[in-house]
Amino acid sequence: MSCALRSTMSLDNGTNHVLGVDQADPAIVDTAGLYFFRSKDGGAAFFKQKGPHDDHHAFASNPIAPSTIYALGDGGIFSSSNRGDSWAQDGAGISNVLFYDIAISVTDQNLVIGGPQDTGTLQYPGGHTIWNEHSPC
């Protein structure tokens, strides 16, 4: 059996890149692409939200504090401690980086690894605003 995943939502002119479900409240579903949308009814209806920057490429929620979410895109990395009601830019020390993916440690909320466009892997060890180039070897 073969299956294909495709979006049937006509949001963002078909450019919805990422989808996330709130870990504490599964009725809250976020989707982002050019714009940021939220559903509070499990995905039955989506409403445009004020996102941190146009053109989102990834987002994640903090597994230890699910109300904290991160949005990444060509504007940098942003965080919200209130599920996206307000945003702060977390990119001091990062210049012109387009993140495509993010991973947050389930055991250490200060350990964040991001995958920027064409530039390897960056690691945020917590405690300051400097991201370091990550090398697995």
Side-chain angles (χ1 to χ4, degrees):
M1 181 169 136
S2 129
C3 298
L5 178 64
R6 71 180 180 90
S7 173
T8 57
M9 297 180 289
S10 60
L11 308 172
D12 284 359
N13 298 321
T15 59
N16 295 300
H17 298 251
V18 292
L19 182 74
V21 178
D22 188 294
Q23 296 177 29
D25 183 354
I28 298 175
V29 180
D30 295 315
T31 184
L34 183 58
Y35 302 111
F36 192 83
F37 291 87
R38 169 159 297 139
S39 171
K40 293 184 179 181
D41 58 9
F46 284 86
F47 299 93
K48 190 174 178 181
Q49 302 292 303
K50 184 180 184 315
H53 188 274
D54 287 347
D55 201 9
H56 305 88
H57 293 278
F59 65 82
S61 63
N62 186 321
I64 297 170
S67 64
T68 299
I69 60 176
Y70 302 89
L72 294 84
D74 58 342
I77 182 168
F78 299 84
S79 66
S80 171
S81 60
N82 53 19
R83 289 188 170 94
D85 290 335
S86 62
W87 295 92
Q89 188 165 15
D90 294 337
I94 300 176
S95 59
N96 299 319
V97 174
L98 170 60
F99 278 94
Y100 275 108
D101 210 349
I102 187 172
I104 303 166
S105 170
V106 296
T107 58
D108 180 359
Q109 68 181 1
N110 290 318
L111 178 57
V112 180
I113 295 175
Q117 177 186 18
D118 302 328
T119 56
T121 302
L122 296 177
Q123 178 178 345
Y124 175 74
H128 53 78
T129 59
I130 304 300
W131 287 69
N132 302 311
E133 193 167 337
H134 175 72
S135 176
C137 301

